[in-house]
Amino acid sequence: QVQLVESGGGLVQPGGSLRLSCAASGTGSEIYTMSWYRQAPEKPREMVATLTYLGRPYYSDSVKGRFTISRDNGKNTVHLEMNNLKREDTAVYYCWILTTVVSWGQGTQVIVSS
């Protein structure tokens, strides 16, 4: 059974930085794609950043140039480095991975506020 454990969320002032991490265990097979999604209150869940099996990153327009997704293959861990955070980045952030099944993390709250 795949388990995803997220960490790194919290409260940060506008312009600040946070680093989210998601550790995957029990995958039992190759991890093809690792992504971060977010869901703000009363808004649909949206993809923030994706890292393909070949290591190619994709970002939503709203975070391009500010967020960086990376993967630690040896530990099946994916990170999201978030810089120059804005109030509109406030959301619950979810880790998502694709192996032979789709798996979601439990979510970690990010609040950007002064």
Side-chain angles (χ1 to χ4, degrees), residues 44-106:
R45 192 170 296 188
E46 63 172 349
M47 191 278 290
V48 174
T50 291
L51 193 62
T52 69
Y53 177 74
L54 295 178
R56 183 182 294 273
Y58 293 92
Y59 301 96
S60 68
D61 288 342
S62 61
V63 307
K64 200 172 296 182
R66 300 187 297 120
F67 290 12
T68 302
I69 188 171
S70 62
R71 176 175 174 178
D72 182 344
N73 289 328
K75 296 183 179 180
N76 279 346
T77 301
V78 63
H79 307 284
L80 186 68
E81 187 76 34
M82 306 185 293
N83 297 313
N84 191 22
L85 282 160
K86 304 176 181 181
R87 288 183 175 81
E88 51 264 41
D89 295 319
T90 294
V92 178
Y93 284 72
Y94 297 90
C95 176
W96 178 100
I97 71 167
L98 173 66
T99 56
T100 54
V101 297
V102 169
S103 301
W104 289 93
Q106 80 284 358

Short mmCIF file of all heavy atoms in Angstrom, two decimals, residues 44-106:
data_model
loop_
_atom_site.label_atom_id
_atom_site.label_comp_id
_atom_site.label_asym_id
_atom_site.label_seq_id
_atom_site.Cartn_x
_atom_site.Cartn_y
_atom_site.Cartn_z
N PRO A 44 -11.44 24.91 -6.74
CA PRO A 44 -11.11 23.53 -7.12
C PRO A 44 -9.63 23.24 -6.93
O PRO A 44 -8.80 24.16 -6.92
CB PRO A 44 -11.51 23.46 -8.60
CG PRO A 44 -11.42 24.87 -9.07
CD PRO A 44 -11.81 25.73 -7.91
N ARG A 45 -9.32 21.98 -6.78
CA ARG A 45 -7.92 21.57 -6.66
C ARG A 45 -7.23 21.80 -8.01
O ARG A 45 -7.78 21.49 -9.06
CB ARG A 45 -7.83 20.10 -6.26
CG ARG A 45 -6.46 19.65 -5.84
CD ARG A 45 -6.49 18.26 -5.23
NE ARG A 45 -7.25 18.21 -4.00
CZ ARG A 45 -7.30 17.15 -3.19
NH1 ARG A 45 -6.61 16.06 -3.50
NH2 ARG A 45 -8.02 17.18 -2.11
N GLU A 46 -6.01 22.33 -7.95
CA GLU A 46 -5.28 22.62 -9.18
C GLU A 46 -3.86 22.08 -9.11
O GLU A 46 -3.26 22.01 -8.03
CB GLU A 46 -5.22 24.14 -9.43
CG GLU A 46 -4.49 24.92 -8.36
CD GLU A 46 -4.28 26.38 -8.72
OE1 GLU A 46 -4.52 26.75 -9.89
OE2 GLU A 46 -3.85 27.15 -7.83
N MET A 47 -3.34 21.71 -10.26
CA MET A 47 -1.96 21.25 -10.35
C MET A 47 -1.03 22.44 -10.24
O MET A 47 -1.24 23.46 -10.89
CB MET A 47 -1.73 20.50 -11.65
CG MET A 47 -0.41 19.76 -11.73
SD MET A 47 1.01 20.78 -12.20
CE MET A 47 0.67 21.13 -13.91
N VAL A 48 -0.01 22.31 -9.42
CA VAL A 48 0.97 23.37 -9.22
C VAL A 48 2.27 23.05 -9.98
O VAL A 48 2.79 23.89 -10.70
CB VAL A 48 1.27 23.54 -7.72
CG1 VAL A 48 2.40 24.54 -7.52
CG2 VAL A 48 0.02 23.98 -6.99
N ALA A 49 2.75 21.83 -9.80
CA ALA A 49 4.02 21.45 -10.42
C ALA A 49 4.05 19.94 -10.61
O ALA A 49 3.53 19.20 -9.77
CB ALA A 49 5.20 21.89 -9.57
N THR A 50 4.66 19.51 -11.70
CA THR A 50 4.77 18.09 -12.02
C THR A 50 6.18 17.78 -12.46
O THR A 50 6.80 18.57 -13.18
CB THR A 50 3.79 17.71 -13.14
OG1 THR A 50 2.46 17.81 -12.65
CG2 THR A 50 4.02 16.30 -13.65
N LEU A 51 6.66 16.61 -12.05
CA LEU A 51 7.97 16.14 -12.48
C LEU A 51 7.79 14.77 -13.10
O LEU A 51 7.36 13.83 -12.44
CB LEU A 51 8.91 16.07 -11.28
CG LEU A 51 10.40 15.89 -11.59
CD1 LEU A 51 10.93 17.07 -12.40
CD2 LEU A 51 11.19 15.76 -10.30
N THR A 52 8.11 14.67 -14.38
CA THR A 52 7.90 13.41 -15.07
C THR A 52 9.02 12.43 -14.77
O THR A 52 10.04 12.77 -14.16
CB THR A 52 7.85 13.62 -16.59
OG1 THR A 52 9.17 13.99 -17.04
CG2 THR A 52 6.86 14.71 -16.97
N TYR A 53 8.83 11.21 -15.23
CA TYR A 53 9.81 10.15 -15.01
C TYR A 53 11.17 10.52 -15.61
O TYR A 53 12.22 10.18 -15.06
CB TYR A 53 9.30 8.86 -15.67
CG TYR A 53 10.26 7.72 -15.58
CD1 TYR A 53 10.46 7.04 -14.39
CD2 TYR A 53 11.00 7.31 -16.70
CE1 TYR A 53 11.35 5.99 -14.31
CE2 TYR A 53 11.88 6.26 -16.62
CZ TYR A 53 12.06 5.60 -15.43
OH TYR A 53 12.95 4.56 -15.34
N LEU A 54 11.14 11.27 -16.70
CA LEU A 54 12.39 11.68 -17.34
C LEU A 54 12.98 12.92 -16.70
O LEU A 54 14.01 13.41 -17.17
CB LEU A 54 12.14 11.92 -18.83
CG LEU A 54 11.73 10.68 -19.62
CD1 LEU A 54 11.45 11.05 -21.08
CD2 LEU A 54 12.80 9.61 -19.53
N GLY A 55 12.33 13.42 -15.66
CA GLY A 55 12.87 14.57 -14.95
C GLY A 55 12.47 15.91 -15.52
O GLY A 55 13.04 16.93 -15.14
N ARG A 56 11.49 15.91 -16.40
CA ARG A 56 11.06 17.19 -16.99
C ARG A 56 10.02 17.84 -16.08
O ARG A 56 9.00 17.22 -15.77
CB ARG A 56 10.48 16.97 -18.37
CG ARG A 56 10.07 18.23 -19.08
CD ARG A 56 9.45 17.91 -20.42
NE ARG A 56 10.41 17.32 -21.34
CZ ARG A 56 11.21 18.03 -22.12
NH1 ARG A 56 11.17 19.34 -22.11
NH2 ARG A 56 12.04 17.42 -22.94
N PRO A 57 10.23 19.08 -15.66
CA PRO A 57 9.26 19.75 -14.79
C PRO A 57 8.25 20.58 -15.59
O PRO A 57 8.56 21.11 -16.65
CB PRO A 57 10.14 20.66 -13.94
CG PRO A 57 11.26 21.04 -14.85
CD PRO A 57 11.48 19.86 -15.76
N TYR A 58 7.05 20.64 -15.05
CA TYR A 58 6.01 21.50 -15.59
C TYR A 58 5.41 22.28 -14.43
O TYR A 58 5.25 21.75 -13.33
CB TYR A 58 4.92 20.68 -16.29
CG TYR A 58 5.41 19.98 -17.53
CD1 TYR A 58 5.90 18.68 -17.47
CD2 TYR A 58 5.38 20.61 -18.76
CE1 TYR A 58 6.36 18.03 -18.60
CE2 TYR A 58 5.83 19.97 -19.91
CZ TYR A 58 6.32 18.68 -19.82
OH TYR A 58 6.78 18.04 -20.95
N TYR A 59 5.07 23.53 -14.68
CA TYR A 59 4.51 24.40 -13.65
C TYR A 59 3.27 25.10 -14.16
O TYR A 59 3.16 25.41 -15.34
CB TYR A 59 5.55 25.45 -13.24
CG TYR A 59 6.83 24.89 -12.70
CD1 TYR A 59 7.95 24.71 -13.51
CD2 TYR A 59 6.95 24.52 -11.35
CE1 TYR A 59 9.12 24.18 -13.02
CE2 TYR A 59 8.12 23.98 -10.85
CZ TYR A 59 9.20 23.82 -11.69
OH TYR A 59 10.37 23.28 -11.19
N SER A 60 2.38 25.40 -13.22
CA SER A 60 1.26 26.25 -13.58
C SER A 60 1.78 27.66 -13.79
O SER A 60 2.82 28.06 -13.23
CB SER A 60 0.20 26.22 -12.49
OG SER A 60 0.69 26.84 -11.31
N ASP A 61 1.08 28.43 -14.58
CA ASP A 61 1.52 29.79 -14.87
C ASP A 61 1.61 30.63 -13.60
O ASP A 61 2.45 31.53 -13.50
CB ASP A 61 0.57 30.45 -15.87
CG ASP A 61 0.71 29.87 -17.27
OD1 ASP A 61 1.76 29.23 -17.55
OD2 ASP A 61 -0.22 30.05 -18.06
N SER A 62 0.76 30.33 -12.64
CA SER A 62 0.70 31.15 -11.43
C SER A 62 1.94 31.00 -10.54
O SER A 62 2.20 31.86 -9.70
CB SER A 62 -0.55 30.82 -10.63
OG SER A 62 -0.53 29.46 -10.24
N VAL A 63 2.69 29.92 -10.72
CA VAL A 63 3.86 29.70 -9.86
C VAL A 63 5.16 29.66 -10.63
O VAL A 63 6.25 29.59 -10.03
CB VAL A 63 3.71 28.41 -9.03
CG1 VAL A 63 2.40 28.40 -8.27
CG2 VAL A 63 3.85 27.17 -9.90
N LYS A 64 5.09 29.71 -11.94
CA LYS A 64 6.29 29.60 -12.77
C LYS A 64 7.29 30.71 -12.40
O LYS A 64 6.92 31.87 -12.27
CB LYS A 64 5.90 29.70 -14.24
CG LYS A 64 6.90 29.15 -15.21
CD LYS A 64 6.33 29.12 -16.62
CE LYS A 64 5.17 28.17 -16.73
NZ LYS A 64 4.62 28.09 -18.11
N GLY A 65 8.52 30.32 -12.21
CA GLY A 65 9.55 31.28 -11.84
C GLY A 65 9.70 31.47 -10.35
O GLY A 65 10.67 32.06 -9.88
N ARG A 66 8.75 30.96 -9.57
CA ARG A 66 8.82 31.11 -8.11
C ARG A 66 8.95 29.76 -7.40
O ARG A 66 9.56 29.67 -6.35
CB ARG A 66 7.56 31.82 -7.59
CG ARG A 66 7.35 33.20 -8.16
CD ARG A 66 6.19 33.92 -7.49
NE ARG A 66 4.92 33.25 -7.71
CZ ARG A 66 4.13 32.77 -6.72
NH1 ARG A 66 4.51 32.90 -5.45
NH2 ARG A 66 2.98 32.19 -7.01
N PHE A 67 8.36 28.73 -7.98
CA PHE A 67 8.38 27.40 -7.36
C PHE A 67 9.30 26.48 -8.16
O PHE A 67 9.41 26.60 -9.39
CB PHE A 67 6.98 26.78 -7.34
CG PHE A 67 6.01 27.43 -6.40
CD1 PHE A 67 6.27 28.64 -5.79
CD2 PHE A 67 4.80 26.79 -6.12
CE1 PHE A 67 5.38 29.22 -4.92
CE2 PHE A 67 3.88 27.35 -5.26
CZ PHE A 67 4.17 28.58 -4.67
N THR A 68 9.93 25.55 -7.45
CA THR A 68 10.78 24.56 -8.10
C THR A 68 10.47 23.18 -7.53
O THR A 68 10.49 22.99 -6.31
CB THR A 68 12.26 24.87 -7.88
OG1 THR A 68 12.56 26.18 -8.37
CG2 THR A 68 13.14 23.85 -8.60
N ILE A 69 10.18 22.24 -8.42
CA ILE A 69 9.92 20.87 -8.00
C ILE A 69 11.18 20.05 -8.26
O ILE A 69 11.86 20.23 -9.28
CB ILE A 69 8.71 20.27 -8.74
CG1 ILE A 69 8.34 18.90 -8.15
CG2 ILE A 69 8.94 20.20 -10.25
CD1 ILE A 69 7.02 18.35 -8.68
N SER A 70 11.49 19.18 -7.31
CA SER A 70 12.67 18.33 -7.47
C SER A 70 12.39 16.99 -6.83
O SER A 70 11.47 16.84 -6.02
CB SER A 70 13.90 18.99 -6.84
OG SER A 70 13.72 19.16 -5.46
N ARG A 71 13.23 16.03 -7.17
CA ARG A 71 13.01 14.66 -6.69
C ARG A 71 14.31 14.06 -6.20
O ARG A 71 15.35 14.21 -6.85
CB ARG A 71 12.44 13.81 -7.82
CG ARG A 71 12.25 12.34 -7.49
CD ARG A 71 11.58 11.63 -8.64
NE ARG A 71 11.51 10.20 -8.40
CZ ARG A 71 10.94 9.33 -9.23
NH1 ARG A 71 10.37 9.75 -10.34
NH2 ARG A 71 10.93 8.05 -8.95
N ASP A 72 14.23 13.41 -5.07
CA ASP A 72 15.36 12.67 -4.52
C ASP A 72 15.09 11.20 -4.81
O ASP A 72 14.38 10.54 -4.05
CB ASP A 72 15.48 12.93 -3.03
CG ASP A 72 16.66 12.23 -2.41
OD1 ASP A 72 17.22 11.30 -3.05
OD2 ASP A 72 17.06 12.60 -1.29
N ASN A 73 15.61 10.70 -5.91
CA ASN A 73 15.25 9.35 -6.33
C ASN A 73 15.62 8.29 -5.32
O ASN A 73 14.89 7.35 -5.09
CB ASN A 73 15.92 9.02 -7.66
CG ASN A 73 15.30 9.81 -8.79
OD1 ASN A 73 14.11 10.10 -8.76
ND2 ASN A 73 16.08 10.15 -9.77
N GLY A 74 16.74 8.46 -4.69
CA GLY A 74 17.18 7.45 -3.76
C GLY A 74 16.25 7.29 -2.57
O GLY A 74 16.21 6.24 -1.94
N LYS A 75 15.48 8.33 -2.29
CA LYS A 75 14.58 8.28 -1.14
C LYS A 75 13.12 8.37 -1.56
O LYS A 75 12.25 8.50 -0.71
CB LYS A 75 14.92 9.42 -0.17
CG LYS A 75 16.30 9.33 0.43
CD LYS A 75 16.54 10.45 1.43
CE LYS A 75 17.92 10.34 2.06
NZ LYS A 75 18.18 11.43 3.02
N ASN A 76 12.85 8.30 -2.86
CA ASN A 76 11.45 8.43 -3.33
C ASN A 76 10.76 9.62 -2.69
O ASN A 76 9.64 9.52 -2.20
CB ASN A 76 10.67 7.15 -3.04
CG ASN A 76 10.93 6.08 -4.08
OD1 ASN A 76 11.49 6.35 -5.14
ND2 ASN A 76 10.54 4.86 -3.78
N THR A 77 11.45 10.72 -2.69
CA THR A 77 10.93 11.93 -2.09
C THR A 77 10.87 13.04 -3.13
O THR A 77 11.78 13.19 -3.94
CB THR A 77 11.84 12.37 -0.93
OG1 THR A 77 11.89 11.33 0.05
CG2 THR A 77 11.31 13.64 -0.29
N VAL A 78 9.79 13.80 -3.09
CA VAL A 78 9.64 14.95 -3.97
C VAL A 78 9.53 16.21 -3.12
O VAL A 78 8.92 16.20 -2.05
CB VAL A 78 8.41 14.79 -4.89
CG1 VAL A 78 7.12 14.73 -4.10
CG2 VAL A 78 8.37 15.89 -5.94
N HIS A 79 10.17 17.26 -3.58
CA HIS A 79 10.19 18.53 -2.85
C HIS A 79 9.55 19.61 -3.70
O HIS A 79 9.55 19.55 -4.92
CB HIS A 79 11.62 18.93 -2.52
CG HIS A 79 12.41 17.88 -1.81
ND1 HIS A 79 12.24 17.59 -0.48
CD2 HIS A 79 13.37 17.03 -2.26
CE1 HIS A 79 13.07 16.61 -0.13
NE2 HIS A 79 13.76 16.25 -1.19
N LEU A 80 9.04 20.62 -3.02
CA LEU A 80 8.55 21.81 -3.69
C LEU A 80 9.13 23.00 -2.97
O LEU A 80 8.75 23.31 -1.85
CB LEU A 80 7.02 21.87 -3.69
CG LEU A 80 6.42 23.02 -4.50
CD1 LEU A 80 6.68 22.81 -5.99
CD2 LEU A 80 4.93 23.15 -4.23
N GLU A 81 10.07 23.65 -3.63
CA GLU A 81 10.68 24.87 -3.09
C GLU A 81 9.82 26.04 -3.55
O GLU A 81 9.63 26.25 -4.76
CB GLU A 81 12.10 25.02 -3.62
CG GLU A 81 12.89 26.16 -3.00
CD GLU A 81 13.37 25.84 -1.59
OE1 GLU A 81 13.68 24.67 -1.32
OE2 GLU A 81 13.40 26.78 -0.78
N MET A 82 9.29 26.80 -2.59
CA MET A 82 8.40 27.90 -2.90
C MET A 82 9.03 29.20 -2.44
O MET A 82 9.28 29.38 -1.24
CB MET A 82 7.04 27.70 -2.22
CG MET A 82 6.40 26.35 -2.53
SD MET A 82 4.75 26.17 -1.84
CE MET A 82 5.13 26.16 -0.09
N ASN A 83 9.29 30.08 -3.37
CA ASN A 83 9.90 31.37 -3.08
C ASN A 83 8.97 32.51 -3.46
O ASN A 83 8.03 32.32 -4.25
CB ASN A 83 11.23 31.51 -3.84
CG ASN A 83 12.25 30.48 -3.42
OD1 ASN A 83 12.46 30.24 -2.24
ND2 ASN A 83 12.89 29.84 -4.40
N ASN A 84 9.25 33.68 -2.90
CA ASN A 84 8.44 34.86 -3.19
C ASN A 84 6.95 34.55 -3.06
O ASN A 84 6.15 34.84 -3.97
CB ASN A 84 8.76 35.40 -4.58
CG ASN A 84 8.15 36.76 -4.84
OD1 ASN A 84 7.83 37.49 -3.91
ND2 ASN A 84 7.96 37.09 -6.11
N LEU A 85 6.59 33.96 -1.94
CA LEU A 85 5.21 33.53 -1.74
C LEU A 85 4.26 34.71 -1.68
O LEU A 85 4.60 35.78 -1.16
CB LEU A 85 5.10 32.69 -0.47
CG LEU A 85 5.60 31.25 -0.65
CD1 LEU A 85 5.94 30.62 0.70
CD2 LEU A 85 4.56 30.42 -1.37
N LYS A 86 3.07 34.50 -2.22
CA LYS A 86 2.03 35.52 -2.27
C LYS A 86 0.82 35.04 -1.49
O LYS A 86 0.63 33.84 -1.27
CB LYS A 86 1.64 35.78 -3.73
CG LYS A 86 2.80 36.17 -4.63
CD LYS A 86 2.35 36.32 -6.07
CE LYS A 86 3.52 36.69 -6.98
NZ LYS A 86 3.10 36.86 -8.39
N ARG A 87 -0.02 35.99 -1.09
CA ARG A 87 -1.21 35.62 -0.33
C ARG A 87 -2.06 34.61 -1.10
O ARG A 87 -2.66 33.73 -0.49
CB ARG A 87 -2.02 36.86 0.00
CG ARG A 87 -1.38 37.74 1.07
CD ARG A 87 -2.25 38.93 1.42
NE ARG A 87 -1.70 39.69 2.52
CZ ARG A 87 -0.73 40.58 2.41
NH1 ARG A 87 -0.22 40.85 1.24
NH2 ARG A 87 -0.29 41.23 3.48
N GLU A 88 -2.09 34.74 -2.40
CA GLU A 88 -2.92 33.83 -3.19
C GLU A 88 -2.34 32.41 -3.28
O GLU A 88 -2.96 31.51 -3.87
CB GLU A 88 -3.13 34.37 -4.60
CG GLU A 88 -1.86 34.79 -5.32
CD GLU A 88 -1.58 36.28 -5.19
OE1 GLU A 88 -1.78 36.84 -4.08
OE2 GLU A 88 -1.13 36.88 -6.19
N ASP A 89 -1.15 32.20 -2.72
CA ASP A 89 -0.60 30.85 -2.63
C ASP A 89 -1.13 30.09 -1.43
O ASP A 89 -0.85 28.89 -1.27
CB ASP A 89 0.94 30.89 -2.55
CG ASP A 89 1.58 31.45 -3.81
OD1 ASP A 89 1.12 31.10 -4.91
OD2 ASP A 89 2.54 32.24 -3.67
N THR A 90 -1.89 30.77 -0.59
CA THR A 90 -2.47 30.13 0.58
C THR A 90 -3.40 29.00 0.14
O THR A 90 -4.32 29.21 -0.65
CB THR A 90 -3.25 31.14 1.43
OG1 THR A 90 -2.33 32.08 1.97
CG2 THR A 90 -4.00 30.44 2.56
N ALA A 91 -3.15 27.81 0.64
CA ALA A 91 -3.92 26.63 0.23
C ALA A 91 -3.43 25.42 1.00
O ALA A 91 -2.39 25.48 1.69
CB ALA A 91 -3.78 26.38 -1.26
N VAL A 92 -4.17 24.33 0.86
CA VAL A 92 -3.66 23.03 1.29
C VAL A 92 -2.95 22.41 0.09
O VAL A 92 -3.52 22.33 -1.00
CB VAL A 92 -4.79 22.12 1.79
CG1 VAL A 92 -4.22 20.74 2.17
CG2 VAL A 92 -5.51 22.74 2.98
N TYR A 93 -1.72 22.00 0.32
CA TYR A 93 -0.90 21.44 -0.75
C TYR A 93 -0.86 19.92 -0.61
O TYR A 93 -0.60 19.39 0.47
CB TYR A 93 0.51 22.02 -0.70
CG TYR A 93 0.56 23.42 -1.23
CD1 TYR A 93 0.01 24.48 -0.51
CD2 TYR A 93 1.15 23.71 -2.46
CE1 TYR A 93 0.04 25.78 -1.00
CE2 TYR A 93 1.19 25.00 -2.96
CZ TYR A 93 0.63 26.03 -2.22
OH TYR A 93 0.66 27.31 -2.71
N TYR A 94 -1.09 19.25 -1.73
CA TYR A 94 -1.16 17.79 -1.76
C TYR A 94 -0.08 17.22 -2.68
O TYR A 94 0.12 17.70 -3.81
CB TYR A 94 -2.52 17.32 -2.27
CG TYR A 94 -3.69 17.72 -1.41
CD1 TYR A 94 -4.37 18.92 -1.62
CD2 TYR A 94 -4.12 16.89 -0.38
CE1 TYR A 94 -5.44 19.28 -0.83
CE2 TYR A 94 -5.20 17.25 0.41
CZ TYR A 94 -5.86 18.44 0.18
OH TYR A 94 -6.92 18.79 0.97
N CYS A 95 0.53 16.18 -2.20
CA CYS A 95 1.46 15.41 -3.02
C CYS A 95 0.66 14.36 -3.79
O CYS A 95 -0.32 13.81 -3.28
CB CYS A 95 2.46 14.74 -2.08
SG CYS A 95 3.63 13.65 -2.87
N TRP A 96 1.10 14.06 -5.01
CA TRP A 96 0.40 13.10 -5.89
C TRP A 96 1.47 12.33 -6.63
O TRP A 96 2.43 12.90 -7.16
CB TRP A 96 -0.45 13.89 -6.87
CG TRP A 96 -1.22 13.13 -7.90
CD1 TRP A 96 -2.54 12.80 -7.86
CD2 TRP A 96 -0.75 12.65 -9.17
NE1 TRP A 96 -2.91 12.14 -9.00
CE2 TRP A 96 -1.83 12.02 -9.83
CE3 TRP A 96 0.49 12.67 -9.82
CZ2 TRP A 96 -1.73 11.44 -11.09
CZ3 TRP A 96 0.61 12.09 -11.07
CH2 TRP A 96 -0.49 11.48 -11.69
N ILE A 97 1.33 11.01 -6.64
CA ILE A 97 2.29 10.22 -7.42
C ILE A 97 1.55 9.19 -8.25
O ILE A 97 0.44 8.76 -7.92
CB ILE A 97 3.35 9.52 -6.54
CG1 ILE A 97 2.74 8.37 -5.73
CG2 ILE A 97 4.08 10.50 -5.66
CD1 ILE A 97 3.79 7.47 -5.11
N LEU A 98 2.18 8.84 -9.36
CA LEU A 98 1.65 7.82 -10.24
C LEU A 98 2.64 6.67 -10.31
O LEU A 98 3.79 6.85 -10.75
CB LEU A 98 1.42 8.40 -11.64
CG LEU A 98 1.02 7.38 -12.72
CD1 LEU A 98 -0.36 6.81 -12.39
CD2 LEU A 98 1.01 8.05 -14.09
N THR A 99 2.18 5.51 -9.86
CA THR A 99 2.94 4.28 -10.08
C THR A 99 2.04 3.41 -10.96
O THR A 99 1.70 3.84 -12.07
CB THR A 99 3.28 3.59 -8.74
OG1 THR A 99 2.08 3.33 -8.00
CG2 THR A 99 4.19 4.48 -7.90
N THR A 100 1.65 2.27 -10.46
CA THR A 100 0.61 1.54 -11.18
C THR A 100 -0.76 2.01 -10.72
O THR A 100 -1.79 1.63 -11.29
CB THR A 100 0.74 0.02 -10.93
OG1 THR A 100 0.74 -0.22 -9.53
CG2 THR A 100 2.03 -0.50 -11.55
N VAL A 101 -0.77 2.82 -9.68
CA VAL A 101 -2.00 3.45 -9.18
C VAL A 101 -1.70 4.91 -8.90
O VAL A 101 -0.55 5.33 -8.86
CB VAL A 101 -2.50 2.75 -7.89
CG1 VAL A 101 -2.87 1.30 -8.17
CG2 VAL A 101 -1.47 2.84 -6.78
N VAL A 102 -2.75 5.67 -8.71
CA VAL A 102 -2.61 7.06 -8.31
C VAL A 102 -2.74 7.15 -6.80
O VAL A 102 -3.61 6.51 -6.20
CB VAL A 102 -3.71 7.91 -8.97
CG1 VAL A 102 -3.75 9.30 -8.37
CG2 VAL A 102 -3.49 7.97 -10.48
N SER A 103 -1.86 7.91 -6.18
CA SER A 103 -1.89 8.06 -4.73
C SER A 103 -1.80 9.53 -4.36
O SER A 103 -1.05 10.29 -4.99
CB SER A 103 -0.73 7.30 -4.08
OG SER A 103 -0.79 5.92 -4.40
N TRP A 104 -2.53 9.90 -3.31
CA TRP A 104 -2.54 11.28 -2.80
C TRP A 104 -2.01 11.30 -1.37
O TRP A 104 -2.27 10.38 -0.58
CB TRP A 104 -3.97 11.83 -2.78
CG TRP A 104 -4.55 12.12 -4.11
CD1 TRP A 104 -5.32 11.29 -4.88
CD2 TRP A 104 -4.47 13.35 -4.84
NE1 TRP A 104 -5.69 11.92 -6.03
CE2 TRP A 104 -5.20 13.19 -6.04
CE3 TRP A 104 -3.84 14.58 -4.60
CZ2 TRP A 104 -5.32 14.20 -6.99
CZ3 TRP A 104 -3.96 15.59 -5.55
CH2 TRP A 104 -4.69 15.39 -6.73
N GLY A 105 -1.33 12.40 -1.04
CA GLY A 105 -0.96 12.63 0.34
C GLY A 105 -2.13 13.22 1.10
O GLY A 105 -3.19 13.50 0.54
N GLN A 106 -1.91 13.42 2.40
CA GLN A 106 -2.99 13.90 3.26
C GLN A 106 -3.13 15.42 3.21
O GLN A 106 -4.14 15.96 3.66
CB GLN A 106 -2.75 13.45 4.72
CG GLN A 106 -1.75 14.30 5.50
CD GLN A 106 -0.29 14.02 5.12
OE1 GLN A 106 0.02 13.17 4.29
NE2 GLN A 106 0.62 14.77 5.75
#
